[in-house]
Amino acid sequence: MSITQDRPAYDHAAAYEAVRHIIPEVEWAMYAEDIEAIHRLKQEQDAVILAHNYMTPEVFHGVADIRGDSLALAREAQDVEAGTIVLAGVHFMAETAKLLNPAKRVLLPDLRSGCSLAESITPADIAALRAQHPGAPVVTYVNTSAAVKAASDICCTSGNAVAVIQSLGVDKVIMIPDQYLARNIAALTGVEVITHPGACEVHERFTPLDIVDIRQGHPGVTVLAHPECPPDVVAESDFAGSTADMQRYVETQRPAKVALITECSMSDNIAADHPDLEFVRPCNLCPHMKRNTLGAIRAALETGGPEIQVDPAVAEPARRAIDKMLAATPRVK
């Protein structure tokens, strides 16, 4: 995919027609001024917007050029031709986009858009784990800072962690920082996985009782869980996978009634493409993702900031860990 300045002129009526089944007209009226301004600014600033699956519908469907999970955004960032990338997500995603596009300007609408996983670990923690487990490669979840990636051997996402670990051909790995993802992946690979006590503040709040309650209240529901959930939650579910895996499952299996055990905007965004399916919506919000409002995106394009920079001394080894991940996991169409 290549995104360039060669975009059609913004058509307000056509834009609303495309989202009317998910965004009520009264809400669209509140968003319309910002949406139109953002489309104009993208043209003027030679910019594209990369939006994570957890963005609210007015961002995800109203202004985003490229949408997906962290792996998809990392891949698509490399194909962007525009000079400016606006990352509607969290800080580590913007850093990753900058690592893969060092010559481009990368903007994050709100610098407070952090991540409990990224904040749970430092390069010093990795050094301690290496000392305790000499020779074990360090597999680092992309939900980490550039400095932590730089101290690692290879990165992974929830969508490619199994393939990454299998590509190493070893019996033991250090997998950081998400303890639940690590335990869920260990169960799938048979590889000994050394964990770190990090967790996603959204997914760790789900419990097996939540799944039981959903099934009792919605007979016949298919439950899809994110692998950042605790293993007992994954065990109660019908399928576990990244947000992209969940989307593919819905598209290919077409369950009549489905519950996505993840950040609640994910259901809103998939439901937009599947109005004939019933979505049960347990709702745990990520406060960091929700800082990417239309107003913040507009302000970033108007002011040219906040701009993400990565220390070149950190960028080179961090980029190497990401490149190894991408090499180990071919694109899924």
Side-chain angles (χ1 to χ4, degrees), residues 185-265:
I185 296 303
L188 296 173
T189 62
V191 173
E192 181 184 357
V193 175
I194 307 303
T195 66
H196 175 81
C200 168
E201 63 189 280
V202 172
H203 292 105
E204 71 174 339
R205 297 204 304 269
F206 288 108
T207 69
L209 183 58
D210 292 330
I211 312 300
V212 172
D213 288 344
I214 288 170
R215 292 194 190 280
Q216 289 178 346
H218 305 274
V221 67
T222 299
V223 179
L224 314 184
H226 196 284
E228 288 177 14
C229 293
D232 53 1
V233 173
V234 169
E236 286 288 340
S237 303
D238 298 300
F239 173 83
S242 69
T243 56
D245 292 330
M246 290 182 182
Q247 185 170 4
R248 279 191 292 270
Y249 187 101
V250 171
E251 290 173 350
T252 59
Q253 302 301 313
R254 300 193 56 75
K257 189 184 303 182
V258 61
L260 307 183
I261 309 303
T262 188
E263 214 273 354
C264 59
S265 287

Side-chain angles (χ1 to χ4, degrees), residues 41-284:
L41 287 161
K42 286 194 294 182
Q43 195 88 27
E44 294 173 356
Q45 299 289 332
D46 185 26
V48 295
I49 296 175
L50 275 60
H52 189 267
N53 288 328
Y54 294 159
M55 289 299 97
T56 51
E58 69 275 9
V59 172
F60 194 83
H61 297 284
V63 298
D65 299 292
I66 298 172
R67 310 167 183 87
D69 64 359
S70 54
L71 176 59
L73 295 183
R75 288 196 184 281
E76 298 295 348
Q78 295 180 298
D79 296 336
V80 166
E81 292 184 357
T84 295
I85 295 171
V86 180
L87 202 299
V90 293
H91 193 274
F92 77 81
M93 296 178 184
E95 275 193 334
T96 301
K98 182 64 176 179
L99 289 169
L100 294 173
N101 298 272
K104 296 184 185 298
R105 180 175 66 162
V106 176
L107 307 180
L108 181 66
D110 192 323
L111 286 177
R112 297 174 299 165
S113 302
C115 173
S116 59
L117 283 166
E119 293 164 3
S120 74
I121 192 161
T122 67
D125 295 322
I126 296 179
L129 285 166
R130 286 192 188 275
Q132 295 167 17
H133 304 279
V138 176
V139 179
T140 294
Y141 198 22
V142 292
N143 299 41
T144 49
S145 67
V148 166
K149 291 180 176 71
S152 309
D153 295 301
I154 191 170
C155 289
C156 75
T157 70
S158 56
N160 66 15
V162 169
V164 165
I165 288 178
Q166 290 176 337
S167 76
L168 298 175
V170 296
D171 297 325
K172 176 180 177 179
V173 301
I174 299 166
M175 188 173 181
I176 57 162
D178 191 320
Q179 60 182 314
Y180 299 129
L181 177 67
R183 286 160 57 189
N184 287 322
I185 296 303
L188 296 173
T189 62
V191 173
E192 181 184 357
V193 175
I194 307 303
T195 66
H196 175 81
C200 168
E201 63 189 280
V202 172
H203 292 105
E204 71 174 339
R205 297 204 304 269
F206 288 108
T207 69
L209 183 58
D210 292 330
I211 312 300
V212 172
D213 288 344
I214 288 170
R215 292 194 190 280
Q216 289 178 346
H218 305 274
V221 67
T222 299
V223 179
L224 314 184
H226 196 284
E228 288 177 14
C229 293
D232 53 1
V233 173
V234 169
E236 286 288 340
S237 303
D238 298 300
F239 173 83
S242 69
T243 56
D245 292 330
M246 290 182 182
Q247 185 170 4
R248 279 191 292 270
Y249 187 101
V250 171
E251 290 173 350
T252 59
Q253 302 301 313
R254 300 193 56 75
K257 189 184 303 182
V258 61
L260 307 183
I261 309 303
T262 188
E263 214 273 354
C264 59
S265 287
M266 180 69 186
S267 293
D268 295 335
N269 292 326
I270 293 185
D273 296 324
H274 302 281
D276 56 323
L277 305 182
E278 179 182 348
F279 285 78
V280 179
R281 307 186 190 215
C283 194
N284 283 350

